[in-house]
Amino acid sequence: MPFTLHGLAVSQGIAIGHVHLVSHALLEVNHYHLAPRHLPAERERLDAAVAEVRGELDELRVASGQNPAHSEVGAFVDVHLMFLDDPMLVDAARTLIDERRCNAEWALVQQMELLVEQFDQIEDAYLRERKADVIQVVERLVKVLLGQPGRLPRKRKESLGTIVVAHDLSPADTLGFRDHDVAGFVTDVGGPTSHTAIVARSQGIPAVVALHNVRQLVEDNELMIIDGTRGVVIIDPDERILEEYRLRKTELELERSKLQRLISARPTTLDGEEVSLLANIELPKDAVLARKVESDGVGLFRTEFLFLNRHALPDEDEQFEAYRAALKNMGGAPVTIRTLDVGADKALEAVGKRSTEANPALGLRAIRYSLAEPKIFKTQLRALLRASHYGKLKILLPMLAHAHEMDQALSLIALAKEQLRERKQKFDPKVEVGGMIEVPAAAMALGMFVRRLQFLSIGTNDLIQYTLAIDRTDEAVAHLYDPLHPAVLKLIGGTIQVGARYGLPVSVCGEMAGDPAFTRLLLGMGLRLFSMQPNQLLGIKQEVLRADVGELAPKVQRILKMDEQERVHEAVERLRV
Ligand code: PEP
Ligand code: MG
């Protein structure tokens, strides 16, 4: 019997495929007590799981040894094998089975929690970081005990893809979908501008989030349709529904292909205003997509994706190569590279999650993290500066709020330049440094930014989150996430105006820039630099080509004076007719 679920549409398009359930093993561990006569069998279950995980790790070890590019994998396998053999983990869990008569999964998780607590107390940062490895080893063991395959299936033989169904996914998980045949994904939780959703859009993977209990309602291999435009998910569709969605999918693809004819048109408005359309990228290879749609450059390279999904941080040379590759892939166009923005929904696995953080979006994130970890920051700055010798590279600092953050970051850049001079390594001495305006405090105190920086970029995703005090990843408050709230518009409009007054380029690189519903509004505010996912660029270009800024500007000035949300919504809607 087909049935339908409604959630939040976060990444457009239609996907039709077979369900692949992915679980967060540690969240789903059952706790139960065993009768004494069952204890020996439970210990054997644990031993069998340990043997299976050891087999998996040995296999990985051999595979990584055969490929020099994967030497780093070999190193983490060694660490995992070491923990697997450590009496503090498996032996202790075995004792817990006997003493507390608990099931093997529960015993492992209890022991893991104890070890994690001990790791948190360690002063040495390297050793403290190994906590993440313990968690991963336990996760592997629990998955085997629960009988769940941990990995995504490789490409299927039939033409339908895989639809990943999970309680939650991290941005790093989603990035891994690139290498698999994932047609779309749906999750129980999540918000429209969470990084998981952004990565899905950048890969063109249809996705619906905030479905509450989809994981409980579907089974592995069931047929599923995702309508990522309307936020609808259909499970077990009949032939008639399937046919309708196949048709809609073809229509969408046709619409997309029609936009291709705009590729070489310059984005100029009807009254001759020149606009620059830039691309947001997560990895250097995305620059290839950015170039394919003839973007004017990269407006935002989110470098944190080079740091996620791995057990050791990328060193200076690796980062330098990645930044240089992005410049090369852009063929001489400018590339704005943002320094590490980790924290909140992008936890650095290699460093371990800070368990004390109650409110990560307001915690040690982005520039705050970089300034707290100057060694990591300086390494990145040197890599960026070295790459600046090979093209038009600009450095962008995320989540600034205070003058001293800029001052410290600028001194560290000066220091990094000094170190490169000593090493006789080349860099562009005039490399531009800009800042993200994504905290209301920054948008309301622009003078200190204008005096210190050479360009600004408005991160509307965070600016909305922080202005309206709603967690962008929390579906319970997703309905309050309103880009057209009068307070948000005043901050965006004000920043664009101040930039124009002082001759400082201002771009928007948050999701608003890639949504055609807002293009005319932003143009009317005076915005001329838009940065978005490459696959949104042609749709925005179409809007620009149809807009008349002379006509829009006075209407938008009136909108900026409105203080009733509903009136703003209606007026913005009218800009498009
Ligand atoms: C933003 O906040 O709008 C932005 C572009 O940065 P991110 O989405 O990576 O936080
Ligand atoms: Mg941001």
Side-chain angles (χ1 to χ4, degrees), residues 195 198 300 302 304 338 341 346 365-366 398-399 436-438 458-463 465-466 472 509-510:
H195 287 94
I198 291 172
L300 172 66
R302 290 181 164 99
E304 49 277 9
R338 182 173 74 183
D341 179 358
K346 289 175 294 191
R365 188 192 150 183
M399 211 187 160
M436 298 274 296
I437 302 296
E438 45 189 352
I458 307 176
T460 50
N461 308 336
D462 279 316
L463 189 60
Q465 151 165 276
Y466 295 127
R472 60 196 264 201
C509 63

Side-chain angles (χ1 to χ4, degrees), residues 371-516:
L371 293 175
E373 297 285 350
K375 206 166 149 225
I376 296 176
F377 194 30
K378 278 190 287 184
T379 303
Q380 181 170 39
L381 292 174
R382 282 193 303 271
L384 285 167
L385 287 166
R386 281 170 58 194
S388 72
H389 177 64
Y390 296 88
K392 288 186 204 139
L393 184 151
K394 300 179 193 188
I395 298 175
L396 179 60
L397 305 169
M399 211 187 160
L400 296 165
H402 301 271
H404 59 76
E405 289 167 340
M406 286 178 270
D407 292 339
Q408 277 184 62
L410 291 169
S411 329
L412 287 171
I413 292 173
L415 191 74
K417 285 182 180 172
E418 207 40 59
Q419 289 173 332
L420 293 185
R421 272 191 206 101
E422 276 166 23
R423 289 193 205 158
K424 304 210 182 323
Q425 281 174 317
K426 293 197 175 121
F427 61 90
D428 171 9
K430 292 209 181 81
V431 65
E432 287 185 17
V433 181
M436 298 274 296
I437 302 296
E438 45 189 352
V439 178
M444 294 168 84
L446 286 162
M448 62 182 170
F449 291 82
V450 169
R451 281 190 285 279
R452 290 171 172 82
L453 302 170
Q454 284 140 309
F455 65 95
L456 302 177
S457 190
I458 307 176
T460 50
N461 308 336
D462 279 316
L463 189 60
I464 298 166
Q465 151 165 276
Y466 295 127
T467 305
L468 302 180
I470 38 173
D471 184 338
R472 60 196 264 201
T473 65
D474 185 349
E475 82 281 4
V477 288
H479 63 291
L480 300 174
Y481 193 96
D482 181 10
L484 297 183
H485 189 291
V488 172
L489 295 192
K490 284 189 176 69
L491 295 176
I492 299 174
T495 306
I496 296 170
Q497 248 175 31
V498 169
R501 198 178 313 139
Y502 291 92
L504 209 68
V506 175
S507 63
V508 169
C509 63
E511 294 302 291
M512 272 182 93
D515 187 337

Side-chain angles (χ1 to χ4, degrees), residues 46 48 64 127-128 180 279-280 306 318 373 397 411 416 444 506:
L46 177 62
S64 65
L127 289 177
R128 207 169 50 232
H180 295 268
N280 291 355
L306 295 172
E318 184 185 336
E373 297 285 350
L397 305 169
S411 329
M444 294 168 84
V506 175

